[in-house]
Structures are given as structure tokens and as C-alpha cells.
Amino acid sequence: MKKTIMVDMDEVITEGGFLHLINDFAGTNYAKEDIKGYYMQDLVPDKKAFFDYFIKHNQYDYGYLMQDVVEVLKYLQKYFDIYIGTSYIIKEIPKECGINLVHKHNYLYEKLPFIPVENYIFISNKSLLNCDIKIDDKLDNLKNASIKLLFTSYHNQDLTDEYLDSCGVKRVNNWLEIKKYLMDVIKNESSSSKK
């Protein structure tokens, strides 16, 4: 039986769209380095006006896939059952954010057609999910996994390797690192089972 992997979507599979909409709305030129907290929308003074604008646009029309993500996920699919675990809830617009779910679903369906739609999990509290492996950019979302991989993002770069070690978490910076790490895990498990 294959092990299960839960992969986060935003800032792990794809990025860029939300920040693009912020810059387009505000007439700014923010980069990821300008974001100090987890929520990009904190860059915008008038959040109500921004989210009125946001719900009329699809952020995924402006985002892009992370480098190597498609090739690596296709490869890993030979060895693992892959699930996409992503939240569509935006705290400022709980009533209207259903449109975000539709946009996420359609983006995944178009860009990752080899992942079955039955493997999309739309959930905010990912700690409820038990998987063998979790790949996410938010530390709290890695709970309830044997292997916890923190994908480096603008908001988690200050977490030290020592702190991550104490949480049982390994930092990964890109999809080729993920592939190498997980293939090493498989190789080590295979050699251990032969002893």
C-alpha cells in the first residue's frame, strides 16, 4: 500500500496571483520580501475595498506554478498517493470566498490533470488530516504526519533549523529537494526491510 502525501497549494504548488492582485489594486510594486507577516492582505490599508476588487478577479489567472512541481509530482505519484490539501477560506470575506474554492478547483484540474479530483481536500484546519507525509509552508499545518516538510516561503524564513528540528520538521526550498528527500526515504526504508 502506498504512503499518503498531503501537498499544500498556495505558496507550495503555485504563487504570485494574490500579490499581483494587491499590486494591481493598490498601484504598488510589492515583492514577497516586503511582506512581514503571514497575511499578504495586511499590506493593503483599505481591506474592504481590496476584497470587493478581489472577488471580481481570479488570482490564479495571474499566478504561476512553482518550478519543477509538475514533473516532481508526476514522478512521486508512482510511489505515493498524493492529495492536495488547501484552504479556500479568506477570513475577511467568509460569505463570498466560495468563489475562491471554484477558482482553486479549476486551477488544479487544469494544471495538474494527473491528480484525481477525488484527491482535492478543501479544509482550513489541516492538522485534522492524518497523512504519512505533509508538505506545507505553514508549520501548524504539518501536524499529524510522520514526515513533515516545511516549504520555504516569505513568512517562514526566520524559523531556525534548530527550532524546526525540535518540532520534527525538515525545511525544503524547492521541488527537486523534495524529490531527493522522499526518494532517499524510500531507499532507506527498502534497505531496512531487506535486513
Side-chain angles (χ1 to χ4, degrees):
M1 186 170 161
K2 290 181 180 179
K3 291 192 171 189
T4 54
I5 299 181
M6 184 214 76
V7 184
D8 180 34
M9 181 175 175
D10 298 302
E11 308 305 320
V12 176
I13 290 174
T14 182
E15 68 176 348
F18 197 85
L19 189 56
H20 171 89
L21 289 181
I22 287 173
N23 283 325
D24 195 53
F25 166 79
T28 50
N29 196 25
Y30 289 120
K32 286 191 294 185
E33 296 74 32
D34 299 315
I35 306 164
K36 301 306 177 203
Y38 179 74
Y39 295 104
M40 289 186 190
Q41 59 263 40
D42 291 343
L43 292 168
V44 181
D46 188 348
K47 287 194 181 113
K48 182 184 181 320
F50 168 67
F51 281 110
D52 287 346
Y53 168 86
F54 173 84
I55 61 173
K56 296 181 179 103
H57 296 80
N58 179 355
Q59 67 173 312
Y60 299 104
D61 286 343
Y62 308 98
Y64 49 89
L65 289 165
M66 294 288 195
Q67 187 171 352
D68 302 309
V69 65
V70 171
E71 296 78 9
V72 172
L73 284 176
K74 280 183 177 177
Y75 183 83
L76 292 176
Q77 204 172 35
K78 294 186 264 185
Y79 304 95
F80 302 96
D81 286 327
I82 298 173
Y83 295 84
I84 309 300
T86 185
S87 175
Y88 66 95
I89 305 297
I90 298 172
K91 60 183 178 141
E92 289 88 352
I93 52 167
K95 182 180 177 184
E96 297 87 355
C97 60
I99 189 67
N100 198 34
L101 186 153
V102 173
H103 293 161
K104 280 176 175 269
H105 174 279
N106 291 345
Y107 185 85
L108 291 169
Y109 190 81
E110 177 188 341
K111 301 293 185 183
L112 305 176
F114 53 93
I115 305 256
V117 293
E118 295 84 6
N119 290 22
Y120 303 167
I121 303 170
F122 298 102
I123 185 169
S124 291
N125 184 358
K126 296 180 201 171
S127 68
L128 296 172
L129 299 175
N130 292 311
C131 296
D132 297 304
I133 301 156
K134 287 186 177 180
I135 305 167
D136 208 296
D137 64 313
K138 191 173 182 185
L139 197 58
D140 286 346
N141 290 338
L142 296 173
K143 292 174 184 169
N144 290 325
S146 302
I147 296 174
K148 304 172 178 85
L149 302 180
L150 182 73
F151 199 94
T152 299
S153 189
Y154 64 92
H155 59 86
N156 67 30
Q157 295 184 48
D158 293 341
L159 298 174
T160 65
D161 288 341
E162 294 76 24
Y163 177 71
L164 294 178
D165 284 345
S166 74
C167 300
V169 172
K170 173 167 178 49
R171 181 185 291 282
V172 287
N173 297 299
N174 58 61
W175 276 94
L176 293 181
E177 276 187 30
I178 291 170
K179 178 182 178 184
K180 181 182 184 319
Y181 182 79
L182 292 178
M183 289 302 96
D184 287 346
V185 166
I186 287 176
K187 188 166 38 170
N188 292 338
E189 287 179 351
S190 175
S191 62
S192 295
S193 68
K194 289 176 184 173
K195 291 179 182 176

